[in-house]
Amino acid sequence: MTADFSLRNLGKTPTPFFNGRWFTVFASILILSVSGGTYLFGLYSQHVKSSLGYDQTTLNLLSFFKDVGANVGIIAGLINEVCPPWVVLLIGSLMNFSGYIYLWLAVNGDELVKPQVWQMCLCLMIGANSQTFTNTGALVTCVKNFPESRGIVIGLLKGFVGLSGAIITQLFHAIYGNNGKSLVLLIAWLPPFVCCTLLKYVRVMKGVNRQENEVNIFYQLLYISLGLAGFLLMVTILQNRVAFTLVEYRLSSCVMLLLLFAPIVVVIREELRIGKNRKQVLDDFTPLKGLEQGKLPSRSQGKEALWFKNVFKPPERGEDYTILQALLSIDMLILFITTIFGAGGTLTAIDNIGQIGKALGYPNTSIATFTSLVSIWGYLGRVVSGFVSEIFLTKYKVPRPLMLTFVLLLSCFGHILIAMGVPSVLDVALAILGFCFGAMAPLIFSIISELFGLKHYATLLNFGGAASPIGAYVFNVRLVGHFYDKEALRQMAALGLFRKPGDHLTCIGIECYRSSFLIIAAASFVGCIVSYILVLRTRKFYKGDIYKKFREQA
């Protein structure tokens, strides 16, 4: 049996279960399960549009700045390079509250807040950027604690991020009923509260070996999360067919919270088992000569090269790149382009759920259901891509970029279904795109860690995520927003109406989105081709043992 500790820990008193790396995973699950406020933009965007009198192009501009904040986390990565995770999480909590509380005051027409468009863009970007601090502080920490299970870790944790939209929606109905504007208030205070409560338990554990039952424990956590996702799916469908009372919303939320906290049982049991094994080894341990004072033989370490040297002479794939070596590599350029075309398109579809539903004549209850279902399908995409890609990689040596290529190809069909405009097919289209959007993140983040190492993973992870808002700006603001407003003005002119200052444009029918989503489908196919180039470049690397060096270090 492989114990979950190293010789460095033998002289230490056994620590309580909440100081172990499995409790770090549990704390990260809770933090990330309420961190997806950016995914609910489609649910409250109509209130922003009507309260402030914006047209679709302006609303999509706000959406773009929201996407910039949610995906450009380079600052969070750089802070994580020099500060412990709790600092990163604390900064994110402050940003979340300040950004969304300003948005809530603006939407509620507070006399103290008379925002201009640039101010709304700024507050949304600040609030959304808190998500990158949360992801960096929690996810990167867990990946470093479990380097040989990184695909599973990323898939599981990003899965809970995907469920966060549905979780927050249920809590919103349980606390505020159907007051749509209060959703922004909930997003303002709930994530910082959870994060500040648990941030001291999120930390990197050094000198820890891999456990033999490590994957089995992650599977147990996966099964619990699948139960939570299944419950949310059932409740969401039921709420769309039956009008829930406030008491019923609160009862369903209590069940949801029980499932959300269920991983604590697995975590406590495992930490107690580890503590028992550690105590047994301590009792049987005879100190080696030279280790009486708790010292280990020193390891020879070469001098670290300066950050600006060998920029264009990177090490082998899988070794620790410097930040510049990674950013200037062809592999990173290919990943960046792939993310722009792939994630940018799916992000655009998710951000426009509300407007697409309105254009096709769906009621508000159905649009809220779409938002929750996309969140759940995003969860499934994350956990499936994380766990399945890890199995295919370790057992069959299937390159992870190849699975990314398949996901991009699947997303093309989702965009085409939206462009078709058949009302009964919209559910299927959003399910496909939610799944693909969720599946991309674990694959891209795992590929970055595998190709460029974990030393600067926090910064490189956030640089890779910065490609999404670039694609979202091109597709959402310049493409979808332009075609939507153009068609809305044409419909008004056909009715002999003229737009007055302050009026927001409303477009009805599939023509509002058909041309733009056909173009997005074509762009996603281009991203699929670019991704396959990375498959060809890295297939030799993935045929080897990419986790060998972590076992040697352990």
Side-chain angles (χ1 to χ4, degrees):
M1 178 178 62
T2 304
D4 186 22
F5 52 92
S6 70
L7 289 174
R8 296 181 186 277
N9 295 321
L10 287 177
K12 299 180 180 179
T13 303
T15 55
F17 70 87
F18 49 77
N19 288 332
R21 62 173 182 163
W22 287 109
F23 196 83
T24 294
V25 172
F26 174 70
S28 299
I29 285 174
L30 294 185
I31 291 171
L32 294 175
S33 65
V34 293
S35 68
T38 55
Y39 302 132
L40 296 173
F41 181 79
L43 197 56
Y44 64 78
S45 60
Q46 283 293 329
H47 297 288
V48 176
K49 186 177 182 181
S50 58
S51 299
L52 302 177
Y54 291 157
D55 58 20
Q56 188 63 30
T57 300
T58 304
L59 187 66
N60 286 358
L61 183 65
L62 292 180
S63 177
F64 162 70
F65 276 93
K66 181 265 298 180
D67 293 335
V68 169
N71 293 280
V72 181
I74 298 175
I75 295 177
L78 292 174
I79 293 175
N80 195 75
E81 297 273 354
V82 296
C83 296
W86 70 265
V87 175
V88 179
L89 294 172
L90 180 61
I91 294 173
S93 298
L94 296 175
M95 293 174 64
N96 183 96
F97 182 79
S98 59
Y100 282 109
I101 201 69
Y102 185 90
L103 175 63
W104 177 71
L105 292 173
V107 171
N108 278 273
D110 193 285
E111 294 182 358
L112 297 176
V113 180
K114 300 294 183 183
Q116 299 181 19
V117 173
W118 71 267
Q119 292 172 321
M120 290 295 293
C121 291
L122 181 61
C123 82
L124 253 179
M125 185 171 68
I126 291 174
N129 194 242
S130 65
Q131 183 173 311
T132 67
F133 283 79
T134 304
N135 278 333
T136 301
L139 189 145
V140 173
T141 300
C142 290
V143 169
K144 289 184 176 180
N145 285 342
F146 301 91
E148 294 184 58
S149 301
R150 68 187 70 180
I152 293 175
V153 171
I154 295 174
L156 181 68
L157 294 183
K158 293 297 287 185
F160 278 96
V161 175
L163 284 180
S164 62
I167 291 172
I168 294 174
T169 300
Q170 292 301 317
L171 293 175
F172 154 67
H173 287 306
I175 298 172
Y176 298 106
N178 291 310
N179 183 4
K181 294 181 180 179
S182 297
L183 175 60
V184 182
L185 177 61
L186 181 65
I187 297 172
W189 69 262
L190 180 61
F193 172 77
V194 175
C195 193
C196 290
T197 303
L198 296 169
L199 58 84
K200 68 177 182 178
Y201 302 112
V202 180
R203 51 183 171 229
V204 177
M205 310 290 179
K206 296 183 179 180
V208 179
N209 298 340
R210 183 178 186 176
Q211 300 170 232
E212 289 183 354
N213 66 335
E214 183 173 292
V215 175
N216 291 332
I217 298 170
F218 279 119
Y219 272 112
Q220 293 175 33
L221 298 177
L222 171 65
Y223 299 147
I224 293 174
S225 69
L226 285 172
L228 174 61
F231 175 78
L232 288 171
L233 180 62
M234 179 188 68
V235 169
T236 300
I237 294 174
L238 189 61
Q239 289 170 354
N240 188 38
R241 299 191 177 189
V242 181
F244 269 38
T245 63
L246 185 60
V247 173
E248 291 169 335
Y249 274 124
R250 289 175 177 173
L251 287 175
S252 63
S253 294
C254 288
V255 177
M256 178 193 71
L257 290 175
L258 286 175
L259 291 171
L260 182 60
F261 279 83
I264 190 64
V265 177
V266 177
V267 167
I268 292 177
R269 184 185 64 201
E270 186 58 27
E271 289 292 354
L272 291 177
R273 188 190 68 81
I274 292 171
K276 182 179 179 181
N277 290 342
R278 179 182 291 117
K279 185 177 183 300
Q280 181 180 354
V281 174
L282 282 171
D283 292 339
D284 299 339
F285 179 67
T286 301
L288 300 176
K289 186 176 181 179
L291 295 180
E292 289 82 354
Q293 302 301 320
K295 296 180 180 180
L296 287 174
S298 60
R299 298 180 183 178
S300 58
Q301 298 180 354
K303 294 182 178 180
E304 185 176 349
L306 296 176
W307 64 270
F308 55 84
K309 288 189 175 182
N310 300 322
V311 171
F312 297 104
K313 295 180 180 179
E316 296 292 327
R317 289 189 180 96
E319 298 299 323
D320 289 325
Y321 281 53
T322 66
I323 295 176
L324 283 181
Q325 284 173 339
L327 297 186
L328 297 177
S329 68
I330 297 177
D331 291 343
M332 181 64 84
L333 176 62
I334 294 174
L335 265 178
F336 199 79
I337 295 173
T338 300
T339 307
I340 289 175
F341 284 100
T346 54
L347 191 58
T348 297
I350 292 172
D351 284 343
N352 285 275
I353 290 175
Q355 284 67 44
I356 294 173
K358 284 286 186 183
L360 296 179
Y362 284 91
N364 289 331
T365 53
S366 296
I367 293 173
T369 302
F370 288 153
T371 304
S372 295
L373 289 177
V374 166
S375 177
I376 293 169
W377 279 103
Y379 155 79
L380 289 174
R382 286 169 166 89
V383 297
V384 168
S385 67
F387 280 79
V388 173
S389 67
E390 194 71 24
I391 293 171
F392 277 40
L393 175 63
T394 54
K395 288 189 175 182
Y396 308 109
K397 303 298 181 182
V398 177
R400 223 183 288 261
L402 181 60
M403 287 170 269
L404 176 61
T405 303
F406 288 141
V407 170
L408 289 170
L409 184 61
L410 179 61
S411 70
C412 297
F413 293 102
H415 295 307
I416 292 173
L417 288 176
I418 290 181
M420 289 171 58
V422 181
S424 59
V425 178
L426 183 60
D427 310 54
V428 179
L430 292 177
I432 291 174
L433 292 175
F435 180 89
C436 293
F437 180 73
M440 287 180 196
L443 292 173
I444 293 171
F445 294 163
S446 297
I447 292 169
I448 289 174
S449 71
E450 288 159 357
L451 297 183
F452 308 114
L454 291 178
K455 184 174 183 180
H456 300 290
Y457 180 52
T459 302
L460 299 178
L461 163 81
N462 286 294
F463 179 82
S468 296
I470 296 176
Y473 177 77
V474 174
F475 296 134
N476 204 356
V477 179
R478 292 300 181 185
L479 185 65
V480 173
H482 170 74
F483 277 103
Y484 183 97
D485 288 342
K486 182 179 178 180
E487 178 62 20
L489 291 171
R490 188 195 67 78
Q491 292 179 5
M492 289 182 66
L495 296 173
L497 302 175
F498 297 94
R499 185 188 181 193
K500 299 177 182 179
D503 289 348
H504 68 273
L505 293 174
T506 301
C507 183
I508 303 298
I510 190 53
E511 293 299 331
C512 308
Y513 289 99
R514 172 170 290 156
S515 299
S516 54
F517 273 90
L518 286 175
I519 296 173
I520 292 174
S524 296
F525 186 72
V526 173
C528 180
I529 295 174
V530 175
S531 175
Y532 189 69
I533 296 175
L534 185 63
V535 176
L536 299 177
R537 287 177 54 86
T538 59
R539 57 184 177 181
K540 182 178 178 181
F541 166 71
Y542 279 103
K543 285 182 179 178
D545 186 357
I546 65 173
Y547 295 147
K548 181 180 178 181
K549 76 169 187 176
F550 295 102
R551 287 193 295 272
E552 291 176 347
Q553 290 173 357

